Structure formats: structure tokens, C-alpha cells
Amino acid sequence: MRSRSTAGIGLALSCLLALTACNGGDSSETSTDEPASAETTTEAAPANEIPNLVGKDQSSAEEQLTELGVRFDSQIESSSQDAGTVIAQDPEEGTPVEGDGPRVTLTVAGDPPAVPNVMGSSVDDARRDLETLGFTVEETDVFAPDSPNGEVVGQDPDAGDSNAATVTLEVARPPQTMPFKDTKPITSGGSSGPQTDSAEIGNQKYAEAWLLESYSGSSSEFGVNLAGDYSEVEGKLGINTEDSDTACTATVSFTNEQGRPLGENTYNVTFSNPVDVKFSVADVIRLNIDARLNSDQGDCSLVFGDFQATGLKESSSDSTNSSSSADPSESASEEPSESASPESTSSPSSQ
């Protein structure tokens, strides 16, 4: 009896051990799935690192930082994004949160400011004011002889525009001046052209001026090389009262190199009525002048008083206005008078 009991106990123990071994094997197979689960949980950013806040609205970003116990500041910057959106953060995502730091600065998109009125300001003051408001500033130099150098004479867009990122300023710059009296006219077809000499229009005396002398009914055609560098021509046309008879008259016309009229079609000049001339020559390469003098008594001369071309100093070239600057086929070998120079100069005209 005792031996059978012992044998039965041994058999039971053997089965129990075998069952335990089988269960142990199943347990090891199940545990192999656990590392995969652990890997998926480690992809999330740790709670002690600064998260990515760019693109969130300001309130959400600040709430998230508050939950982390992180101090923060917010600053507004003009942006094309919706107002209240975080457009930048400092420090960046992933920065560890340790102790009292770091302090996070959020840059938040704000409504763009309206463009202020900077007309009449100096370009330096206008640029400073606009850049302080977050605008990009561009400059364009313009010919504005009636405005001080560096004054803002135009802006685009106008003041009050609230949808602009860039403001373009038109800035007055000093002109380059080319007096006609200091240039040699371009002549062709046997025309003599004007000479530089003293002259008088009414009570106005000129120590040096262009003086065109001709017999009654004759015409004179000549030109001035502007090379596209100048913006405006101005001066006074008059009969030389020093040596002309009172019956002397003149008609003068100005055209560009393609024959397009400049200024009035024809300027009519009489002994007692000089004419002020002023017209645009923007992009004109050659200024052509056609003058016709008439007198019943013979003596007749036309004065080009204080005639000059003006334009932007930095864009004007030092091109010469001698006959060699024109097409050789159109040039004559005529030499200038002693007081004339074959080169242009920026010195003011004398009166």
C-alpha cells in the first residue's frame, strides 16, 4: 500500500512538472510582443522637452507651456499668416526643460500696420520709420530739381494702405547740368550752327550764349548729343538786341532723333517778345533744332540764353557733344569758336 501511494505521488508530480514546463514556454512566447509595444510609446516627445509650437494659436501654445511649468514671453510681428498664429519660437523644439529654464519666446503673427505718410521726409528718416514697423524698403532715385537732395517725393503704396509688405520710395537726387554754350553743336548739310559769344535779350545780358546769325529767310539745322542721359531741356529764346534790327523774327522747332516734336511744335520769337522754353527729353539720344530767321533789313541773330540739359547726376554720362560723337556721315569739320569746348561740362551758365 505504501509503495503504491508513493508511486502515485511521483506520477502526479511528474505531470505537474510537465504542465509547468508547457505553461512556461507559452509565457516566453507572449513576452516577445512586449518590446514592440514599448517602441511605439517612446516616439512621443518626453514631457521634459520643449514641444513644437509653430503653427499653433497663441493661447494653445501658452497653455501648453504653462502645463510644462515653462516661463514664456510673446512678441507680435507683422505676417501674412492669420493673426494670433505662432510663426516662430526660441528655443527650438526638443530643448530640455531643466530647473528654471529655458524661457521660451513666442513670435506671434499680428495684423500688418498701415503704411505711414513719409512724403517730404529725408530718405534716412523714412527708411528708419518704415523698417521699425516691419516694412521692406526700396528706393528709386528721381529727377526732382525743385526738391532737396534726399527728400522723399513719392511713395508706393500710398499712406494708409494696410496690405503692403514693401514700400518703394522715390528720392530726389541732384541733377547733372550740361550748358549748351559749352558744347559743340552737331551740324550737317552745310549748316553753320550757332557759335558761343556774348549776347543780349532785352535787358538780359549773357557773357556767353549760343548765338545763331543768318541772312533773312535762311534756316539752320543742327543737333545736340544727349545720349539718353538727360530728363529736361530749358532756356530762353530771344532776338539779340545788341546788333539785330527790330523787325527780326525767328521760328524754332525741336525734335528727337526720330523726328518727334518736343515741346511746342513751333516757337515764334520776335524782337520784343522772347520765349521761355522747357520740355522733357527723357530717353532722347539726339536733340535736333531747326531755326529760321527773318528780317526786312538784314541784321538778325537768335540767342539761346541759358539753354541747358539736366538729369540725374549718377545716370548722366560725360559724353562729348562734338561732331565726332554723331554719325560721321552727318558731321561737319567746322571748329567751335574759341569760347566753346568740344566737351560737355556741369558748370553753370554765365549771364
Side-chain angles (χ1 to χ4, degrees):
M1 294 291 292
R2 183 174 299 175
S3 59
R4 288 180 181 177
S5 300
T6 304
I9 292 171
L11 180 58
L13 289 173
S14 297
C15 291
L16 181 61
L17 290 172
L19 182 60
T20 302
C22 292
N23 291 338
D26 294 339
S27 175
S28 63
E29 290 179 3
T30 304
S31 65
T32 57
D33 296 332
E34 292 179 359
S37 175
E39 288 179 4
T40 58
T41 58
T42 56
E43 292 180 0
N48 61 343
E49 290 184 357
I50 300 299
N52 179 24
L53 302 170
V54 175
K56 296 180 178 293
D57 63 83
Q58 181 179 0
S59 59
S60 297
E62 292 178 349
E63 182 179 350
Q64 194 168 351
L65 291 174
T66 300
E67 292 175 354
L68 289 173
V70 176
R71 297 174 300 168
F72 60 85
D73 297 309
S74 298
Q75 60 185 19
I76 305 298
E77 183 176 295
S78 297
S79 171
S80 59
Q81 297 191 38
D82 294 338
T85 303
V86 177
I87 57 177
Q89 68 179 74
D90 183 34
E92 298 178 349
E93 171 190 6
T95 302
V97 177
E98 299 175 350
D100 294 335
R103 191 181 191 95
V104 176
T105 299
L106 301 176
T107 302
V108 181
D111 292 325
V115 176
N117 181 13
V118 294
M119 293 283 290
S121 302
S122 70
V123 63
D124 292 337
D125 289 347
R127 174 178 286 277
R128 183 188 64 246
D129 293 345
L130 290 167
E131 289 181 343
T132 298
L133 292 173
F135 293 104
T136 299
V137 180
E138 296 180 352
E139 295 179 25
T140 300
D141 293 340
V142 297
F143 174 62
D146 296 329
S147 300
N149 179 29
E151 181 178 285
V152 177
V153 295
Q155 67 177 76
D156 183 30
D158 295 331
D161 192 297
S162 59
N163 294 311
T166 300
V167 178
T168 300
L169 303 177
E170 293 184 351
V171 184
R173 293 304 181 189
Q176 169 89 355
T177 301
M178 184 188 73
F180 282 20
K181 69 180 183 63
D182 295 325
T183 67
K184 180 180 178 180
I186 303 169
T187 59
S188 62
S191 176
S192 60
Q195 303 294 318
T196 300
D197 205 344
S198 62
E200 181 177 304
I201 300 177
N203 295 324
Q204 179 68 58
K205 295 182 179 294
Y206 298 90
E208 291 183 312
W210 260 10
L211 186 63
L212 182 65
E213 297 179 333
S214 183
Y215 57 87
S216 180
S218 68
S219 63
S220 182
E221 297 180 1
F222 51 94
V224 180
N225 179 29
L226 300 180
D229 290 336
Y230 296 90
S231 302
E232 192 173 78
V233 163
E234 63 179 332
K236 182 184 289 291
L237 290 172
I239 302 302
N240 185 21
T241 53
E242 285 185 339
D243 57 10
S244 299
D245 65 78
T246 57
C248 178
T249 63
T251 56
V252 184
S253 61
F254 301 88
T255 59
N256 68 359
E257 65 278 1
Q258 297 174 340
R260 178 174 60 85
L262 301 172
E264 298 180 10
N265 288 334
T266 302
Y267 293 90
N268 297 302
V269 186
T270 65
F271 188 89
S272 58
N273 291 301
V275 177
D276 290 321
V277 175
K278 187 175 184 179
F279 53 84
S280 172
V281 290
D283 300 323
V284 173
I285 305 300
R286 169 171 165 162
L287 173 65
N288 295 318
I289 304 172
D290 186 342
R292 180 180 294 272
L293 284 80
N294 297 283
S295 176
D296 294 335
Q297 301 181 21
D299 295 331
C300 193
S301 57
L302 176 66
V303 180
F304 292 78
D306 284 340
F307 258 75
Q308 60 185 12
T310 52
L312 282 178
K313 186 172 185 178
E314 54 269 29
S315 67
S316 299
S317 66
D318 293 327
S319 61
T320 63
N321 287 275
S322 63
S323 58
S324 60
S325 63
D327 187 325
S329 64
E330 297 180 349
S331 303
S333 60
E334 179 183 354
E335 295 294 326
S337 63
E338 293 181 357
S339 58
S341 169
E343 296 184 352
S344 63
T345 177
S346 59
S347 61
S349 59
S350 302
Q351 295 187 7

